Amino acid sequence: MLNLLVRPQARPPAAPARPRPVRELLLIIVLFAVYKAGRLAANGRVSDAFANARDVWRLERELGLPDESALQRLLLHSDALIHLANAYYAYVHFPATAAFLLWIYLRRPGHYRWIRWTVVALTASGLVLHVLVPLAPPRMLGDIGMIDLGAAYGPGVYGAPQTDTISNQYAAMPSLHIGWALIVAVGLIVATGSRWRWLWLAHPIITSAVVVATANHYWLDGVVVAAILGVVLAVFRPPVLARIPGAAKP
């Protein structure tokens, strides 16, 4: 009788189950295969890529956006800053995104599926635009006053476009560098409860400055990817941070 009167203690909610790692690895392989197919689809459209680049450059000036070359000139005052920007472009993009996905997978499984589909949707949208609107980056336009800082100072990322079998160098629009950096920042802000979590916005801000100053992207490349991500986040709504012990800590 006493047992019936004693109310059992509420148990904390169980942590959501993680997706199987083999399935996640297969998804990454499929995405890479789709990217490679998109790169092959963009081959042979070099003239379109340069024509689009000049259209974007003119449109930015008509819209009153800052001149990308002005930001690069600020960087040219310091060799140390040039090498730092080149290193950030070359070595931070993929490792930071991979580390973020691994952390979310291990520590916030309840947020992992949301992040995964956000990354897939943004990347797929970007690949569609890469195929439909090939765009040469500023470093390839010789008459706008910008230079390829990676090739001139190192560390460089790209070889000659004609022999590059890994990356699509005519895929400046939209900038997945900026898009993935935004996902990392948004994901960490949503999935953690630290009062300092808003500082993660420094990552996409620095990334935006770096990709523009190194002549790898236009301002509009970042504007477009931010708009696409806004639509993606409206479709894939983030889950509520679970109220379990340690959930509010990064």
Side-chain angles (χ1 to χ4, degrees):
M1 180 65 70
L2 291 177
N3 291 338
L4 295 177
L5 298 177
V6 177
R7 301 184 63 181
Q9 293 182 348
R11 296 181 180 179
R18 297 183 184 90
R20 294 180 180 179
V22 174
R23 186 177 65 180
E24 299 307 304
L25 181 60
L26 288 175
L27 178 60
I28 292 174
I29 293 173
V30 170
L31 286 176
F32 183 74
V34 171
Y35 175 82
K36 292 288 289 183
R39 183 196 177 279
L40 293 175
N43 285 345
R45 302 187 61 191
V46 176
S47 59
D48 291 340
F50 278 92
N52 291 335
R54 301 198 179 280
D55 289 341
V56 167
W57 184 263
R58 285 193 294 268
L59 177 60
E60 286 188 333
R61 306 294 78 82
E62 293 174 0
L63 294 174
L65 293 178
D67 192 329
E68 288 86 349
S69 61
L71 182 60
Q72 186 180 82
R73 285 194 295 270
L74 292 176
L75 207 63
L76 290 173
H77 286 90
S78 170
D79 286 353
L81 284 179
I82 293 173
H83 287 290
L84 186 61
N86 286 340
Y88 199 94
Y89 182 84
Y91 303 133
V92 173
H93 175 52
F94 281 107
T97 306
F100 162 71
L101 290 174
L102 181 61
W103 183 87
I104 286 286
Y105 179 81
L106 295 175
R107 299 296 300 275
R108 298 292 187 273
H111 288 76
Y112 176 77
R113 286 182 174 83
W114 164 62
I115 289 294
R116 176 231 283 157
W117 290 119
T118 299
V119 172
V120 169
L122 179 70
T123 304
S125 301
L127 291 178
V128 170
L129 275 179
H130 292 167
V131 173
L132 296 179
V133 188
L135 182 67
R139 68 177 186 273
M140 293 184 180
L141 300 182
D143 58 348
I144 63 173
M146 302 192 74
I147 62 176
D148 185 345
L149 292 187
Y153 293 87
V157 176
Y158 306 109
Q162 299 82 0
T163 58
D164 190 347
T165 60
I166 298 177
S167 60
N168 177 10
Q169 296 194 40
Y170 301 108
M173 175 75 74
S175 170
L176 291 181
H177 268 75
I178 298 176
W180 287 6
L182 283 169
I183 290 177
V184 170
V186 171
L188 289 171
I189 289 170
V190 170
T192 62
S194 169
R195 69 179 64 182
W196 303 105
R197 67 189 185 278
W198 295 98
L199 293 178
W200 288 111
L201 289 173
H203 179 41
I205 292 173
I206 294 173
T207 299
S208 299
V210 163
V211 299
V212 170
T214 55
N216 286 293
H217 283 285
Y218 307 90
W219 292 117
L220 276 179
D221 299 337
V223 173
V224 170
V225 82
I228 295 174
L229 181 58
V231 175
V232 170
L233 291 176
V235 175
F236 298 101
R237 305 298 296 273
V240 177
L241 182 63
R243 299 298 182 183
I244 58 177
K249 297 178 181 179

